[in-house]
Amino acid sequence: MSQAIHVDKTSEAGFPTRFGHFRILGFEGSNGGVPEEFVVLIMGDLSGSPPLVRIHSQCLTGDVFHSLRCDCGGQLELALHSIAAEGRGLLIYENQEGRGIGLLNKLRAYELQDHGADTVEANEQLGFEADLRGYELAGAILRYLHLDAVRLMSNNPQKIQALERAGVRVTERVPSLVPPHDSSEDYLRTKREKLGHILDL
């Protein structure tokens, strides 16, 4: 792991939810001097066999307002349900709104999408790469928590590669599939065809 990658736990508390009782942890991290804040939810004892893990990028519109333009909110709920069903697991919530371009730029991208651009084209028209996210700090958090092997709940091969580079073995990729809506089908198709996500539409 690069010496430029550093994480610290800032807080920990009990966290009852409608999915069950978690511990909620705050982390601060930096990658090459760029700071980032994280929230981590942990349920049960993570020792023993590799636990179920979800790395979820913040999506205010999907996670909070239940947008049907994307599958983010559905994936978040599926992960929490799945962890609760197993009685153990971990969710890392990353502050990487809009694939890293930020909330207001994501809304600008929505406007471009309303005029015919797909999600990748909209980001590029705003002057950004298709996906600015990185998962090195998520890997560092798992190492901080003494996890060297996980079952990763994801459709994104880049997350698997990032964890493996961080020294965390992914023993199983658990699909994170949410039924599409008419308003999310083009978004999901773009994720599959342009970003390489593993999706069966």
Side-chain angles (χ1 to χ4, degrees):
M1 192 186 312
S2 168
Q3 293 183 349
I5 297 173
H6 181 74
V7 295
D8 283 310
K9 187 176 77 169
T10 63
S11 53
E12 180 175 349
F15 194 61
T17 76
R18 66 183 176 89
F19 304 97
H21 193 90
F22 290 83
R23 301 290 295 173
I24 187 167
L25 290 69
F27 279 86
E28 291 178 338
S30 64
N31 185 359
V34 179
E36 188 177 344
E37 296 179 337
F38 300 80
V39 170
V40 176
L41 298 182
I42 294 176
M43 178 178 281
D45 182 359
L46 301 184
S47 63
S49 61
L52 184 64
V53 168
R54 166 76 182 164
I55 301 170
H56 189 86
S57 297
Q58 175 182 308
C59 177
L60 177 75
T61 48
D63 300 342
V64 176
F65 300 132
H66 306 288
S67 167
L68 298 180
R69 297 183 75 122
C70 64
D71 60 344
C72 303
Q75 287 194 76
L76 177 61
E77 293 212 0
L78 177 61
L80 293 171
H81 275 298
S82 299
I83 290 169
E86 295 196 3
R88 61 191 292 266
L90 177 149
L91 183 138
I92 298 175
Y93 196 85
E94 289 207 71
N95 182 20
Q96 298 192 128
E97 184 81 44
R99 298 194 189 120
I101 68 173
L103 177 60
L104 296 186
N105 280 323
K106 183 171 81 169
L107 299 186
R108 294 184 180 100
Y110 277 1
E111 186 173 3
L112 293 172
Q113 291 164 36
D114 283 351
H115 290 88
D118 64 32
T119 55
V120 168
E121 292 165 347
N123 279 20
E124 291 173 343
Q125 287 175 29
L126 290 171
F128 300 106
E129 295 179 15
D131 192 341
L132 293 175
R133 293 175 297 175
Y135 307 105
E136 294 82 6
L137 288 170
I141 288 173
L142 293 174
R143 294 297 301 272
Y144 180 99
L145 296 170
H146 307 294
L147 292 173
D148 57 10
V150 301
R151 297 162 50 237
L152 185 65
M153 192 171 190
S154 180
N155 306 321
N156 186 351
Q158 290 186 17
K159 292 182 182 179
I160 298 172
Q161 295 162 11
L163 293 193
E164 297 278 359
R165 286 194 299 269
V168 179
R169 187 165 51 94
V170 177
T171 63
E172 179 186 2
R173 184 190 71 84
V174 179
S176 180
L177 300 176
V178 177
H181 296 269
D182 290 344
S183 53
S184 68
E185 284 184 351
D186 288 344
Y187 165 86
L188 294 172
R189 188 173 296 107
T190 300
K191 285 174 78 170
R192 182 183 66 184
E193 295 177 359
K194 292 191 174 182
L195 298 173
H197 290 211
I198 304 169
L199 294 166
D200 182 4
L201 304 180

